[in-house]
Amino acid sequence: ENQNAFRSACEGTAIFFKHGKTLVKNLGRIFGMGLLSLLLIGGLFGLVAYFIFTLLPGFFQAFANEIAEFATKEKMNIPDFFKDPRGLMIVSAIITGVIFWGILHSVFVRPFVLTGVIRNFMAAGVKDIPTEADLDELEKKAPKLGKIRERANQE
């Protein structure tokens, strides 16, 4: 509480560099949780969307016919699964699942994971408060830190 902001900035920088490995280890956690949420949330909503789309076969048949007609008219080479109603349902379900995953992952999963990462990093920093030797070592690698330390000692 009674420490000036410049001293806190120096210590925060030292904690960041001293415990950077903790953050790197947590990158795997971030990637894993993102992939898991894509499979679970995106897969679930994709399946639900596919089952809903199977209730609308006329729409997808008409849509596939329009795509096929457009491809023929414009002499475009469009993959066959876009001209097939079932393939169009699958593609639409995948897109729907990814959209719902993007929304729910951003709102619920990502904040949960990032809070855990920050909590782990802060716990590592609280257990190992930087010493003057740590700051001296870091100053050798980042000379601009010396200016901040000078200012911290002046105030």
Side-chain angles (χ1 to χ4, degrees), residues 64-78:
N65 291 341
E66 288 294 324
I67 291 173
E69 184 180 319
F70 176 78
T72 305
K73 180 179 170 184
E74 297 296 323
K75 297 178 184 168
M76 295 177 67
N77 186 17
I78 294 180

Side-chain angles (χ1 to χ4, degrees), residues 16-149:
F16 178 79
F17 283 103
K18 197 171 183 182
H19 297 286
K21 289 180 183 177
T22 303
L23 285 177
V24 172
K25 288 178 185 176
N26 283 317
L27 287 176
R29 179 179 177 193
I30 293 169
F31 181 75
M33 289 294 285
L35 190 59
L36 183 64
S37 76
L38 174 62
L39 294 174
L40 292 178
I41 295 171
L44 176 69
F45 279 97
L47 285 173
V48 168
Y50 180 76
F51 288 120
I52 291 171
F53 294 159
T54 58
L55 300 175
L56 307 167
F59 170 77
F60 283 97
Q61 182 64 51
F63 194 32
N65 291 341
E66 288 294 324
I67 291 173
E69 184 180 319
F70 176 78
T72 305
K73 180 179 170 184
E74 297 296 323
K75 297 178 184 168
M76 295 177 67
N77 186 17
I78 294 180
D80 288 337
F81 60 86
F82 285 115
K83 299 174 190 175
D84 175 41
R86 186 156 315 277
L88 205 52
M89 284 181 201
I90 292 170
V91 170
S92 299
I94 290 170
I95 292 170
T96 303
V98 169
I99 289 171
F100 275 98
W101 167 77
I103 293 167
L104 294 175
H105 181 79
S106 297
V107 173
F108 296 109
V109 179
R110 188 181 302 152
F112 171 75
V113 172
L114 293 180
T115 301
V117 168
I118 291 170
R119 185 183 62 241
N120 290 343
F121 181 69
M122 294 299 285
V126 168
K127 290 179 188 172
D128 190 17
I129 297 174
T131 63
E132 285 297 320
D134 294 331
L135 294 173
D136 290 338
E137 184 179 329
L138 183 59
E139 190 175 329
K140 292 176 189 172
K141 296 176 183 176
K144 290 185 180 182
L145 183 66
K147 293 177 185 176
I148 297 173
R149 283 183 69 193

